């Protein structure tokens, strides 16, 4: 039996305590300001002044903390602060108190976020922020993070903040990755060219304010490896010219069916291209132009994918919306399955599971999303000792309502670190015991289950999992399991805290 999960190190426990205290401080500040805004102007001014002074003191304290320690907890803490400030802003705008000064509200909100940001911050989570106010807050405080390597606002908002962003980019001279979906403009691209010479990845998907005028600026960012400009106002001709010009470009995106981007490529071969993504009509032409690709993602499948067998470097394949037999996927896997490390099939009809487990012996990541499986022959036996079951470390499955097979084969995977099942009811107490006996979860770190309304997983089975999984770090979607109630989840969280498990339960 594997040993019980060891308690957190003293350093991690101290960090967790600090993070908890800082979150409580932030929440207390916000609650007090919210209450003051409902009383009188003097109380509101007094409370906001107090918060401003405390923010400055917190910044000074954190300046004395070493960079490695800060990097462990600042990214997550900063996102928590953003979320709390966003909720506070939303509540105030709904309440519209008489004693609320919007300019002061913005100043205090920015100060709260600045209190946990500094020159050592290289990254913090700003993914999926759909509040215009929160996005503007992130942009306003960019002068506090001159060491930022990754900027990411990937969600559209009601109010565009592109002009504000253009005025702040000069603070980000070390930036390596830039994502700004829907609202980016030519002005922003120009500022990136002027101030971010080390930029390697840029993605401005859906930004119609980015036009052909930006291409000359992008061409001067010579370190670019990845340029994502789908659904912008950049024409295919200019995109093709850009790909031909950049010396280190790694990816190409065909964002429209019947794209003719390759017609605008000046060079005979794009030898640097490793990632090919999108709607591809002519597989033969793509394999000839990009012979060194390692990653291929097809949004829809042409009739025959057999030409993929000539790609000697391909190790990652992602396919959506097609028919397994019609596109000759069996032949493809016979040719390249032995070197695939990543395979994702999404909405592929008549998927042949037996092919995958026998022809893909080195696969590390397997994702089967809303596929319809071809039924296994009654005489077909899946051998639990196949190399495939010892190579996969990430397994994600979302069940399609029809055309299903038995999921007992899931127990054969003995090296899993991450398992995500959506709509699959399999882990009863008996199955959990069998999985532990087989060693299915010996290396497990993340366990995410979203069941249908019938359910199978119980809190007792979860306890058994925790007891026997030494490396478990995350449990997810337990509230989506019908046989587990909220009270049981709360009790489980309490037990985890009492035993000092370094384990997060995500709702």
């Amino acid at each position: 039996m594997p040993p019980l999960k060891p308690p957190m190190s003293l350093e991690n426990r101290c960090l967790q305590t600090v993070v908890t205290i800082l979150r409580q401080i932030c929440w207390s500040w916000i609650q007090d300001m919210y209450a003051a805004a409902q009383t009188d102007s003097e109380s509101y001014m007094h409370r906001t002044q107090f918060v401003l002074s405390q923010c400055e003191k917190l910044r000074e304290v954190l300046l004395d903390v070493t960079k490695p320690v800060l990097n462990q907890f600042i990214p997550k803490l900063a996102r928590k602060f953003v979320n709390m400030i966003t909720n506070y802003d939303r509540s105030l705008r709904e309440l519209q108190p008489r004693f609320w000064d919007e300019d002061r509200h913005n100043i205090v909100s920015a100060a709260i976020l600045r209190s946990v940001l500094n020159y050592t911050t290289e990254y913090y989570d700003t993914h999926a922020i759909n509040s215009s106010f929160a996005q503007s807050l992130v942009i306003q405080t960019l002068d506090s993070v001159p060491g930022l390597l990754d900027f990411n606002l990937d969600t559209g908002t009601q109010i565009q903040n592109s002009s504000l962003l253009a005025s702040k980019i000069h603070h980000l001279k070390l930036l390596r990755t830039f994502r700004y979906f829907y609202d980016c403009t030519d002005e922003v691209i120009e500022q990136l060219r002027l101030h971010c010479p080390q930029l390697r990845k840029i993605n401005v998907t859906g930004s119609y304010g980015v036009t052909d005028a930006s291409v000359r600026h992008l061409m001067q960012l010579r370190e670019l490896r990845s340029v994502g400009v789908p659904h912008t106002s950049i024409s295919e001709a200019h995109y093709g010219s850009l790909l031909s010009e950049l010396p280190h470009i790694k990816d190409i995106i065909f964002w429209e069916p019947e794209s003719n981007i390759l017609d605008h490529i000046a060079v005979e071969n794009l030898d640097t291209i490793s990632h090919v993504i999108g709607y591809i009509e002519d597989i033969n032409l793509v394999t000839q132009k990009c012979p060194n690709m390692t990653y291929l993602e097809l949004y829809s499948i042409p009739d025959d994918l057999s030409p993929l067998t000539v790609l000697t470097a391909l190790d990652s394949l992602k396919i959506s919306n097609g028919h397994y037999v019609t596109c000759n996927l069996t032949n493809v896997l016979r040719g390249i399955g032995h070197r695939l490390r990543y395979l994702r099939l999404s909405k592929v009809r008549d998927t042949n599971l037996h092919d995958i487990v026998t022809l893909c012996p080195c696969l590390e990541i397997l994702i089967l999303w809303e596929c319809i499986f071809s039924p296994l022959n009654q005489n077909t036996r899946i051998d639990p000792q196949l190399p495939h079951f010892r190579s996969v470390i990430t397994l994600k499955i979302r069940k399609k309502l029809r055309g299903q097979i038995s999921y007992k084969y899931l127990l054969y995977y003995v090296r899993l670190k991450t398992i995500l099942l959506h709509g699959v009811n399999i882990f009863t107490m008996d199955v959990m015991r069998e999985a532990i006996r087989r060693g299915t979860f010996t290396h497990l770190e993340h366990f995410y289950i979203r069941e249908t309304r019938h359910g199978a997983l119980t809190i007792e089975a979860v306890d058994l999992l925790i007891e026997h999984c030494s490396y478990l770090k995350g449990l997810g979607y337990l509230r989506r399991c019908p046989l587990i109630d909220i009270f049981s989840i709360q009790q489980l969280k309490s037990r985890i805290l009492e035993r000092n498990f370094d384990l997060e339960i995500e709702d």
Side-chain angles (χ1 to χ4, degrees):
M1 178 185 299
L4 291 178
K5 187 174 181 62
M8 286 186 288
S9 67
L10 180 60
E11 181 183 22
N12 284 341
R13 290 175 65 183
C14 290
L15 284 175
Q16 189 177 71
T17 301
V18 169
V19 169
T20 301
I21 290 172
L22 292 180
R23 286 173 60 185
Q24 290 172 346
I25 288 172
C26 179
W27 181 244
S28 175
W29 290 344
I30 288 173
Q31 289 289 88
D32 289 348
M33 287 193 300
Y34 184 81
Q38 299 179 68
T39 55
D40 56 72
S41 58
E42 185 176 351
S43 296
Y44 179 68
M45 292 296 291
H46 176 76
R47 176 46 53 181
T48 54
Q49 188 59 47
F50 172 77
V51 170
L52 286 172
S53 65
Q54 295 304 300
C55 287
E56 188 58 37
K57 288 180 180 178
L58 178 55
R59 278 179 60 83
E60 292 174 2
V61 169
L62 291 179
L63 284 174
D64 294 330
V65 181
T66 62
K67 180 178 178 179
V69 174
L70 283 174
N71 286 345
Q72 287 189 57
F73 69 89
I74 284 297
K76 186 177 292 188
L77 183 61
R79 180 55 190 258
K80 293 290 185 182
F81 274 34
V82 169
N83 290 346
M84 285 190 277
I85 296 167
T86 303
N87 291 334
Y88 166 60
D89 172 75
R90 187 177 294 115
S91 298
L92 275 181
R93 292 183 190 279
E94 292 174 356
L95 178 67
Q96 286 293 313
R98 287 188 301 153
F99 308 110
W100 178 47
D101 182 327
E102 182 158 5
D103 288 338
R104 193 164 187 80
H105 168 69
N106 292 341
I107 291 171
V108 175
S109 297
I112 292 174
L113 182 55
R114 288 182 196 276
S115 68
V116 289
L117 299 175
N118 60 36
Y119 69 95
T120 70
T121 305
E122 296 179 347
Y123 166 84
Y124 73 102
D125 181 14
T126 52
H127 162 70
I129 294 178
N130 56 19
S131 160
S132 302
F133 171 76
Q135 285 203 3
S136 69
L137 196 63
V138 169
I139 296 170
Q140 287 175 49
T141 55
L142 289 178
D143 58 323
S144 296
V145 287
L148 200 69
L149 300 179
D150 185 299
F151 177 86
N152 180 22
L153 292 178
D154 56 3
T155 309
T157 59
Q158 188 173 6
I159 300 173
Q160 190 182 83
N161 290 302
S162 57
S163 295
L164 176 62
L165 177 58
S167 70
K168 297 290 184 179
I169 284 176
H170 66 277
H171 295 293
L172 306 180
K173 292 181 171 55
L174 302 180
L175 201 64
R176 299 292 183 89
T177 301
F178 179 86
R179 300 178 196 85
Y180 188 40
F181 290 5
Y182 307 112
D183 294 329
C184 195
T185 61
D186 290 335
E187 181 187 13
V188 172
I189 300 295
E190 182 178 9
Q191 291 301 309
L192 289 171
R193 188 265 297 174
L194 290 171
H195 302 290
C196 306
Q198 299 182 52
L199 200 63
R200 295 193 172 198
K201 295 182 179 181
I202 182 170
N203 194 325
V204 293
T205 294
S207 298
Y208 288 100
V210 176
T211 72
D212 287 341
S214 284
V215 171
R216 62 187 177 91
H217 298 301
L218 292 170
M219 284 180 174
Q220 294 181 55
L221 291 167
R222 306 300 285 176
E223 294 301 316
L224 279 175
R225 270 70 169 165
S226 175
V227 178
V229 291
H231 308 297
T232 62
S233 296
I234 291 180
S235 65
E236 289 187 348
H238 278 78
Y239 180 50
S241 299
L242 176 61
L243 295 176
S244 303
E245 179 70 20
L246 292 173
H248 304 297
I249 192 68
K250 296 289 185 183
D251 62 18
I252 180 171
I253 302 174
F254 300 82
W255 61 81
E256 296 287 351
E258 301 181 5
S259 297
N260 63 343
I261 294 168
L262 293 178
D263 294 342
H264 304 287
I265 302 295
V267 295
E268 183 177 346
N269 290 325
L270 289 166
D271 293 332
T272 63
I273 293 292
S274 60
H275 286 55
V276 177
I277 301 165
Y279 296 96
I280 298 174
E281 296 295 317
D282 190 337
I283 288 292
N284 268 310
L285 182 58
V286 171
T287 57
Q288 292 166 17
K289 281 279 190 180
C290 309
N292 298 323
M293 76 171 83
T294 61
Y295 175 98
L296 175 62
E297 179 176 347
L298 297 173
Y299 293 166
S300 62
I301 306 179
D303 288 340
D304 187 3
L305 296 182
S306 295
L308 297 183
T309 57
V310 304
L311 297 172
T312 58
L314 190 68
D315 64 11
S316 300
L317 181 61
K318 183 176 179 179
I319 294 176
S320 301
N321 303 305
H323 192 279
Y324 191 97
V325 177
T326 304
C327 67
N328 287 326
L329 261 178
T330 295
N331 290 336
V332 171
L333 293 184
R334 282 177 181 156
I336 65 172
H338 64 281
R339 60 174 174 267
L340 285 182
R341 295 288 186 273
Y342 173 100
L343 177 64
R344 173 177 173 135
L345 303 181
S346 177
K347 298 182 180 178
V348 175
R349 301 182 302 281
D350 281 339
T351 295
N352 190 317
L353 178 66
H354 191 260
D355 276 357
I356 295 171
V357 300
T358 55
L359 299 176
C360 302
C362 301
L363 209 59
E364 295 178 0
I365 299 174
L366 175 59
I367 303 173
L368 302 171
W369 216 243
E370 294 189 354
C371 293
I372 298 177
F373 295 97
S374 62
L376 293 174
N377 188 295
Q378 289 184 349
N379 298 321
T380 301
R381 178 178 175 271
I382 296 181
D383 183 1
Q385 301 304 316
L386 285 169
H388 171 90
F389 293 117
R390 296 192 298 275
S391 66
V392 174
I393 60 176
T394 297
L395 180 65
K396 300 181 181 181
I397 297 176
R398 178 168 181 159
K399 185 181 84 167
K400 189 74 174 175
L401 294 179
R402 59 191 178 88
Q404 290 311 300
I405 59 173
S406 169
Y407 287 90
K408 187 177 180 180
Y409 70 91
L410 296 179
L411 302 188
Y412 301 163
Y413 290 93
V414 293
R415 206 172 145 239
L416 289 176
K417 291 186 178 180
T418 297
I419 184 168
L420 185 152
L421 299 179
H422 195 302
V424 179
N425 302 330
I426 178 176
F427 288 111
T428 62
M429 192 63 170
D430 288 342
V431 172
M432 187 67 76
R433 289 194 187 100
E434 175 68 8
I436 290 168
R437 185 189 67 79
R438 284 178 172 271
T440 305
F441 299 138
T442 301
H443 305 283
L444 195 67
E445 296 179 3
H446 301 281
F447 184 80
Y448 302 107
I449 303 292
R450 297 182 70 167
E451 298 182 315
T452 65
R453 60 188 180 90
H454 300 293
L457 190 69
T458 64
I459 198 67
E460 291 78 17
V462 173
D463 281 331
L464 192 64
L465 182 74
I466 294 173
E467 181 183 351
H468 287 83
C469 295
S470 305
Y471 305 103
L472 197 61
K473 296 177 182 178
L475 284 169
Y477 312 134
L478 294 185
R479 291 193 180 188
R480 301 298 185 98
C481 298
L483 303 184
I484 301 178
D485 56 63
I486 294 177
F487 179 69
S488 296
I489 296 173
Q490 291 171 341
Q491 284 188 317
L492 176 63
K493 289 181 178 180
S494 297
R495 292 197 299 275
I496 289 170
L497 286 175
E498 289 171 2
R499 300 178 68 178
N500 292 325
F501 284 167
D502 186 13
L503 173 61
E504 287 192 22
I505 297 182
E506 303 172 29
D507 296 334

